[in-house]
Amino acid sequence: MNIATTRGQPKTLSLPNILTYARIAAIPVVIGCVYWQSIMDGPLWLRWVALAVFIAAGVTDYLDGYYARIWDQQSAFGRMLDPIADKLLVASSLLMLAADNSIHGWTLWAAIVILCREILVSGLREYLAGLRVSVPVTKLAKWKTTIQLIAIGFLIAGEAGEQIFPPTTLIGIVLLWMSALFTIYTGWDYFRAGIHHLIKEDEG
């Protein structure tokens, strides 16, 4: 693709944003395949389809940022939509995995922590945006997201993965708990930054 051509495209139709749209479009495919396999007693190969689409969606999370930087296609629209796409993918996957009993018992608390943190951070970002204050994504938060996606990937593979690698679901659960711990730490960082700006606003 000609770089000069891509730079001339409307910001909302740039390749990075198209990749973000693709990540959102992947959500009903992943959820549909897991639902069909587990709730409707479909064939196990549907789990592999769901996993393949989920992995492809996860890769777009890296690629959209990469191309936005090297082709100078960063936009306010992209910065807004990218984290929304991530949260939709993670939240919908966790809810579906809870529905099909891949996540159950105490592990539900890990999923609840992750979902509550996402809501908290979204609310803080929205409030701080009104103050024209940006909260950059830390490296630890990026690691949290990576571990989270890997954990969900293992859980999506589930029973199909266990036929090849028996500890598949166990690894997914362990990684989900690790992600929940990182989630608490990074969520506290965001919350502390938000409170700092909130207090300054009240004092002003």
Side-chain angles (χ1 to χ4, degrees):
M1 183 180 292
N2 186 293
I3 295 178
T5 301
T6 60
R7 285 181 177 169
Q9 291 177 340
K11 290 287 187 179
T12 55
L13 292 178
S14 63
L15 179 59
N17 284 346
I18 290 172
L19 290 172
T20 303
Y21 300 148
R23 186 152 73 256
I24 295 173
I27 295 171
V29 179
V30 173
I31 301 308
C33 286
V34 176
Y35 182 87
W36 186 4
Q37 188 280 316
S38 60
I39 309 298
M40 305 296 291
D41 294 323
L44 277 180
W45 58 262
L46 287 167
R47 287 280 183 165
W48 293 118
V49 175
L51 179 61
V53 175
F54 182 82
I55 291 172
V59 171
T60 67
D61 187 27
Y62 167 77
L63 291 179
D64 59 13
Y66 174 75
Y67 286 125
R69 286 189 299 272
I70 66 169
W71 287 347
D72 191 25
Q73 292 185 334
Q74 294 174 329
S75 65
F77 184 79
R79 287 191 296 272
M80 178 274 294
L81 191 62
D82 182 64
I84 290 175
D86 295 340
K87 288 172 175 54
L88 288 174
L89 179 63
V90 168
S92 57
S93 296
L94 288 175
L95 289 172
M96 187 66 249
L97 290 167
D100 85 338
N101 216 35
S102 295
I103 299 174
H104 61 278
W106 285 101
T107 308
L108 283 171
W109 285 105
I112 290 169
V113 166
I114 291 169
L115 292 175
C116 287
R117 184 265 190 192
E118 299 300 351
I119 295 169
L120 171 67
V121 171
S122 295
L124 281 173
R125 284 185 179 277
E126 183 177 351
Y127 172 76
L128 293 174
L131 302 179
R132 298 187 179 278
V133 175
S134 64
V135 182
V137 178
T138 63
K139 286 187 177 180
L140 188 58
K142 291 180 179 178
W143 275 106
K144 181 271 303 179
T145 300
T146 300
I147 295 172
Q148 197 168 266
L149 292 175
I150 294 172
I152 293 173
F154 271 95
L155 292 171
I156 287 174
E159 186 181 349
E162 287 174 352
Q163 292 187 341
I164 300 172
F165 186 58
T168 295
T169 300
L170 177 61
I171 290 173
I173 290 172
V174 170
L175 290 175
L176 193 68
W177 276 109
M178 286 178 59
S179 173
L181 293 176
F182 278 118
T183 288
I184 293 171
Y185 185 83
T186 57
W188 169 249
D189 273 351
Y190 283 119
F191 183 73
R192 186 171 53 186
I195 290 296
H196 172 72
H197 288 290
L198 197 155
I199 292 172
K200 284 178 63 177
E201 178 72 7
D202 286 342
E203 289 176 348

